Amino acid sequence: MKLSSQEMKRVLEDVRGHSEVNFNLCFQCRTCANACPFLDAMDIHPNVIMRMLQFGMGEPVLKSSTIWVCVGCNTCCDSCPMAIDIPTVMDALRQLAMEKGVAIGEPDILNFHEQMLKSVKKYGRAHKLEIMMRYKLKKKDLFQDIGLGLTMLAKRKLDLRAKKVKDIQSIESIFKK
Amino acid sequence: MKASLKSKENTYAYFPGCSLAASGHENNRSIYKFCEKVGIHLEELDDWNCCGSSSAHSIDSEAAALLPQRNISLAQQGLPLLVACPSCYIRMRSTHEELKSDDQAKEMYKNRWERNFDQDLEIIHFFDLLTKLDQTVIDKNMTKPLNGIRFASYYGCMLAKPPILRKDKRHTGIMEKTLKMLGAEPVSWQNFSKCCGTYLSVAKPEVTTKVVNQIMDNAIESEAECLVTACAMCHLNLEIRCSLKQQIPTFHFSELLCIAFGVDDHKKWFKRHLVDPVPLLKEKGLV
Ligand code: SF4
Ligand code: SF4
């Protein structure tokens, strides 16, 4: 699968706004990869993702674990000499991967994001206890971390009840496409 | 406190964010208490919503833009908006900057939120308040100098900025500087700006544990007696995902500020910590 020029444009355009993220400026200095704290959990280094994008390579990029493992901590782009907004490129790639229906590199992470946004849509706030429960239900892995969950409840780090935004319609309208 | 930040009689609109409002009560409380002590009045932003954090960004760019926009639209004209969570701060600041430079987006903002976009809204982080903290305020309020407690200041990813905020000022060293004025002793160490793994703590705990252990290990190696964070998420991850036998306690920055200023509300906060900081505080004669 090759990314069409239209799709490349999509990735090029900053998904947050109109400003462009130009990965063609990348000259492989690898500063981003050296800085990334989660490199070990990635199958393709961030600088290599930029290179592959320059070549229009679609499938391996969209199927990679990297685009999901990236948490958007900005450590890489903060020191990139070309000021390439790498986390925003990753945002665009994740959404392109979902759109194209390719096999998701890290389904657990996508599952987490989905539960998180469900909660925000429902309450306007993130209700962590429910997010964790739903995440684990979907993963069919209710018992991993159960000890930790109990400790967090005992330490009151997880609120039992969600706090809901009063004007919930305005939140719902955000998620209405 | 010098009133050089534009604010009516030291009043700030306050956005705690979900992490502080829910799992980090001790962080939230200590920020309130600290501000009270130095004469800053915080008014929680009425009906604020989650900024969408990294999840909206990851899978729904439209929500990622609109969720912070709603909060911005709720801000009262003329009051600076104080954001406690570093990650929410970046989301709100970036959104504000994007709107500033995009007339079409401003028009859409106006239609959706039925309100003009406030170009001059000041969105500030808790650290911006601290830059105003001078020796006179310290001399006036400090009742318990921190007795040379050795700390590793852990900023996590909050020193890093996306390109759109490249020109923003950095707060490198502010925790060291402030706590030093309060009688604590900073150690020099490497991992002060390594990201804690945020939500990977749920979806990939093993990845978070590895990073958190490196952070804890390095802090101990540099002979710190405690870690100090300014982010509720970092605080949580350091506590719940560290698997090392030897661990030192973690404080939220404002908790230590409160101790030095003699705020006695703190007993409730420390019960919520997974690694009990009380023995260390006792040893230093601070509780
Ligand atoms: S730091 Fe920037 S220029 Fe260097 S390899 Fe990474 S993306 Fe390319
Ligand atoms: S933003 Fe992503 S790629 Fe960059 S350092 Fe952080 S996790 Fe690594």
Side-chain angles (χ1 to χ4, degrees):
Chain A
M1 183 172 82
K2 196 166 160 53
L3 291 177
S4 69
S5 58
Q6 199 55 35
E7 285 155 352
M8 291 312 272
K9 198 166 165 269
R10 250 286 302 277
V11 185
L12 268 168
E13 277 169 9
D14 182 341
V15 284
R16 287 183 317 213
H18 68 289
S19 58
E20 286 198 342
V21 179
N22 191 350
F23 47 69
N24 281 318
L25 293 175
C26 171
F27 61 94
Q28 293 301 308
C29 71
R30 296 189 202 177
T31 304
C32 51
N34 289 338
C36 179
F38 310 109
L39 203 63
D40 294 354
M42 293 174 171
D43 51 1
I44 305 175
H45 289 186
N47 60 302
V48 180
I49 297 269
M50 298 306 133
R51 196 70 173 142
M52 290 163 91
L53 289 176
Q54 289 170 354
F55 292 148
M57 293 166 77
E59 196 149 3
V61 170
L62 297 185
K63 282 185 173 168
S64 72
S65 69
T66 304
I67 60 174
W68 295 98
V69 169
C70 169
V71 297
C73 68
N74 293 317
T75 314
C76 52
C77 57
D78 197 46
S79 45
C80 167
M82 304 313 283
I84 297 170
D85 194 340
I86 301 160
T88 294
V89 174
M90 301 289 187
D91 287 342
L93 291 170
R94 277 187 290 262
Q95 291 173 47
L96 198 54
M98 289 166 72
E99 215 176 282
K100 289 258 156 196
V102 301
I104 299 295
E106 294 282 349
D108 286 348
I109 298 179
L110 173 58
N111 176 12
F112 171 82
H113 289 316
E114 283 171 345
Q115 303 313 331
M116 165 84 185
L117 288 193
K118 260 188 205 159
S119 178
V120 177
K121 188 176 168 186
K122 189 163 152 199
Y123 303 113
R125 304 254 182 107
H127 183 220
K128 286 197 183 144
L129 181 61
E130 193 175 298
I131 295 169
M132 309 268 257
M133 297 290 285
R134 286 182 185 278
Y135 167 79
K136 294 204 168 284
L137 271 173
K138 184 150 183 215
K139 208 184 161 202
K140 300 195 178 66
D141 177 21
L142 213 46
F143 295 106
Q144 193 205 11
D145 268 354
I146 190 111
L148 176 63
L150 292 173
T151 311
M152 283 177 71
L153 278 174
K155 293 275 173 190
R156 310 218 329 273
K157 292 196 180 294
L158 292 169
D159 281 357
L160 289 175
R161 273 194 298 156
K163 300 228 167 46
K164 197 168 175 173
V165 163
K166 284 175 270 170
D167 178 15
I168 198 70
Q169 275 101 337
S170 71
I171 300 290
E172 281 161 4
S173 78
I174 288 177
F175 290 93
K176 229 173 257 154
K177 284 277 146 60
Chain B
M1 193 119 323
K2 284 178 272 177
S4 44
L5 280 166
K6 281 185 263 160
S7 75
K8 283 182 212 141
E9 286 139 19
N10 277 335
T11 298
Y12 294 84
Y14 178 61
F15 179 88
C18 298
S19 269
L20 272 95
S23 42
H25 290 296
E26 68 276 32
N27 303 349
N28 204 15
R29 283 289 294 174
S30 53
I31 288 180
Y32 263 110
K33 285 281 168 188
F34 171 79
C35 287
E36 214 174 87
K37 201 80 193 174
V38 297
I40 289 176
H41 177 63
L42 300 182
E43 252 172 44
E44 192 166 313
L45 194 67
D46 187 39
D47 212 31
W48 60 269
N49 58 268
C50 170
C51 73
S53 183
S54 313
S55 291
H57 240 251
S58 293
I59 61 173
D60 187 345
S61 291
E62 206 185 322
L66 294 176
L67 288 165
Q69 270 191 28
R70 182 174 178 274
N71 291 321
I72 290 173
S73 78
L74 295 172
Q76 193 188 323
Q77 194 120 28
L79 282 191
L81 177 58
L82 175 68
V83 182
C85 166
S87 167
C88 303
Y89 170 78
I90 294 219
R91 298 293 171 219
M92 307 252 269
R93 277 278 300 127
S94 310
T95 305
H96 193 253
E97 281 304 308
E98 276 152 19
L99 281 163
K100 261 191 195 172
S101 62
D102 187 340
D103 290 336
Q104 205 188 334
K106 265 185 225 149
E107 209 37 50
M108 282 160 72
Y109 174 98
K110 199 175 152 187
N111 291 336
R112 179 178 275 270
W113 308 113
E114 293 166 357
R115 178 175 188 178
N116 280 331
F117 170 66
D118 181 4
Q119 186 97 8
D120 301 321
L121 174 69
E122 252 189 308
I123 301 175
I124 62 169
H125 181 258
F126 185 57
F127 280 173
D128 291 308
L129 288 185
L130 290 170
T131 55
K132 312 280 164 211
L133 196 70
D134 59 18
Q135 198 63 47
T136 45
V137 183
I138 300 229
D139 293 344
K140 202 175 126 213
N141 291 289
M142 185 165 69
T143 52
K144 271 192 190 152
L146 296 172
N147 267 342
I149 197 165
R150 274 196 315 279
F151 68 98
S153 40
Y154 175 57
Y155 292 86
C157 65
M158 72 181 299
L159 296 176
K161 298 270 154 62
I164 193 167
L165 301 181
R166 250 195 181 189
K167 293 202 194 96
D168 273 25
K169 68 172 166 296
R170 309 284 164 133
H171 291 292
T172 321
I174 187 129
M175 290 203 272
E176 291 91 321
K177 191 178 153 226
T178 313
L179 291 175
K180 222 175 150 180
M181 287 202 278
L182 297 171
E185 193 191 312
V187 302
S188 125
W189 68 309
Q190 280 159 3
N191 283 343
F192 62 96
S193 63
K194 204 183 192 92
C195 168
C196 73
T198 83
Y199 58 82
L200 290 183
S201 185
V202 181
K204 283 202 157 277
E206 68 295 348
V207 174
T208 315
T209 293
K210 193 174 165 195
V211 176
V212 165
N213 284 353
Q214 285 167 353
I215 294 165
M216 182 64 75
D217 214 22
N218 184 219
I220 294 173
E221 209 174 84
S222 6
E223 297 185 344
E225 294 164 306
C226 60
L227 278 143
V228 184
T229 68
C231 168
M233 187 78 216
C234 293
H235 196 174
L236 187 68
N237 275 352
L238 282 173
E239 292 218 304
I240 65 170
R241 287 303 175 198
C242 182
S243 66
L244 300 176
K245 269 213 188 85
Q246 197 200 348
Q247 290 179 32
I248 50 178
T250 302
F251 292 98
H252 191 272
F253 183 48
S254 47
E255 291 180 308
L256 277 183
L257 297 180
C258 283
I259 292 221
F261 282 7
V263 173
D264 55 9
D265 189 46
H266 56 67
K267 287 196 188 74
K268 284 177 261 166
W269 313 340
F270 297 147
K271 282 198 201 115
R272 304 172 54 91
H273 289 225
L274 262 60
V275 180
D276 186 6
V278 175
L280 172 64
L281 293 170
K282 275 205 177 125
E283 189 193 310
K284 298 283 168 184
L286 294 171
V287 289

